[in-house]
Amino acid sequence: MVDKSLELFDCGHRACGGCGPALLARLILKGAGEDTIIVASTGCMEVFSTPYPETAWKVPWIHSLFENAAAVASGVEASLKHNNRTEKVICICGDGATFDIGMLCISGAFERGHDITYICYDNEAYMNTGIQRSGATPYDASTTTSPAGRLSMGNSRPKKDLPQILNAHGASYVATASVAYPMDVMKKVEKAVNTPGACYLQVHAPCSTGWGFDGSKTIEIGKQAIECGLWVNYEMENGELTKAKKVRRVPVEGYLKAQKRFRHLFKPQPVTEEIAKIQAIADANAVKYGIDIQLNE
């Protein structure tokens, strides 16, 4: 049972105001509980939560490289099993370490079926190193390595569908969530750590610095992503889609206009052809996951 009063991620860390990943760290530990070992790759969360010799973590925490967190977690899990210990092992990594640099080790850990929970905090770019695009960066978002300008509309590639890739590895439990819905995050973490085998949870974690919005609007931005269909909260168990959050969808323009990374789509005038392409992505998500609430529901 989730203990909402449990605080295992301490105050005093150095995250930006309104940081989505900082909120997520609290929620993960509320869902997982005290009997937990964290393996964290290099990334935003590692930088702001563990400036030597300080730490915000009240559970055992291990820092790995960008590329090998899943391999380190596999070794920790194997050692615990050998010694008949029962701690839960959780990998927490950003989208750069997950979608790009760490794929080899993640694939190996899931193929071998290690009893770990891998959680990706998805802020849709390499935020701690200067807002470079990653495989999780959405279409047309402007980053420092996919800058919008006279000859570019920003990132030209769609977001990689990593949950489906890990589902294809035979993962016991795969889910997506958003920090805009804290109780849903905590319940999915609790479910993942208590499901045998390798489980994957990808959490939408808005970044006020990288996306360009006021830090007081993190939850609002997260909800807008879900309400327009560009982010879908769902669960897959043993390869089958079992649940998806339904919404009365709104057009994508409101979500895009609220962020500086998409402002080139509206100034000096709306680029309707590009906005229509992003709307088509949301429409395809709605069909794929069946999220539209019908008028008679």
Side-chain angles (χ1 to χ4, degrees), residues 139-140 158-159 228-232 249-253 256 265 271-289 291-292:
Y139 183 75
D140 271 355
K159 189 181 183 82
C228 73
L230 286 175
W231 182 269
V232 179
R249 279 196 302 136
V250 299
V252 298
E253 278 90 340
L256 301 177
L265 299 177
V271 186
T272 54
E273 181 180 346
E274 290 301 307
I275 296 171
K277 290 178 183 177
I278 299 174
Q279 183 63 58
I281 294 172
D283 294 344
N285 284 341
V287 172
K288 182 176 181 179
Y289 296 104
I291 61 171
D292 280 340

Side-chain angles (χ1 to χ4, degrees), residues 115-282:
D115 189 11
I116 63 173
T117 295
Y118 190 106
I119 300 176
C120 171
Y121 59 97
D122 184 4
N123 54 16
E124 302 187 325
Y126 291 83
M127 297 308 183
N128 73 306
T129 54
I131 317 175
Q132 298 92 353
R133 76 168 292 279
S134 75
T137 301
Y139 183 75
D140 271 355
S142 181
T143 72
T144 54
T145 52
S146 61
R150 188 167 56 87
L151 301 177
S152 170
M153 280 290 124
N155 180 44
S156 62
R157 298 295 301 159
K159 189 181 183 82
K160 189 189 295 183
D161 193 348
L162 200 62
Q164 292 291 352
I165 292 173
L166 293 178
N167 191 43
H169 279 67
S172 306
Y173 179 67
V174 173
T176 57
S178 167
V179 296
Y181 294 89
M183 200 65 217
D184 182 60
V185 173
M186 289 185 280
K187 287 182 177 178
K188 286 174 176 171
V189 171
E190 182 187 30
K191 187 171 185 176
V193 299
N194 288 297
T195 298
C199 299
Y200 178 70
L201 180 58
Q202 186 171 315
V203 185
H204 205 218
C207 172
S208 59
T209 303
W211 298 9
F213 62 84
D214 188 273
S216 66
K217 298 185 181 300
T218 300
I219 300 301
E220 180 180 328
I221 292 288
K223 288 187 175 180
Q224 283 183 320
I226 290 173
E227 289 163 357
C228 73
L230 286 175
W231 182 269
V232 179
N233 280 352
Y234 62 88
E235 293 178 282
M236 291 187 289
E237 297 173 65
N238 299 314
E240 299 294 330
L241 180 68
T242 54
K243 189 181 294 183
K245 179 177 175 55
K246 293 196 172 189
V247 295
R248 294 191 188 280
R249 279 196 302 136
V250 299
V252 298
E253 278 90 340
Y255 175 65
L256 301 177
K257 283 181 178 177
Q259 304 168 62
K260 287 183 181 177
R261 62 178 176 162
F262 293 115
R263 66 182 173 185
H264 56 283
L265 299 177
F266 299 95
K267 293 181 178 180
Q269 63 246 344
V271 186
T272 54
E273 181 180 346
E274 290 301 307
I275 296 171
K277 290 178 183 177
I278 299 174
Q279 183 63 58
I281 294 172

Side-chain angles (χ1 to χ4, degrees), residues 49-88:
S49 69
T50 58
Y52 183 81
E54 303 165 9
T55 181
W57 300 87
K58 295 181 179 178
V59 295
W61 180 94
I62 304 169
H63 176 214
S64 75
L65 304 176
F66 264 119
E67 63 267 32
N68 67 345
V72 172
S74 299
V76 172
E77 183 265 350
S79 177
L80 292 173
K81 185 184 293 182
H82 178 74
N83 289 287
N84 296 315
R85 290 172 56 173
T86 57
E87 293 97 322
K88 305 296 184 185

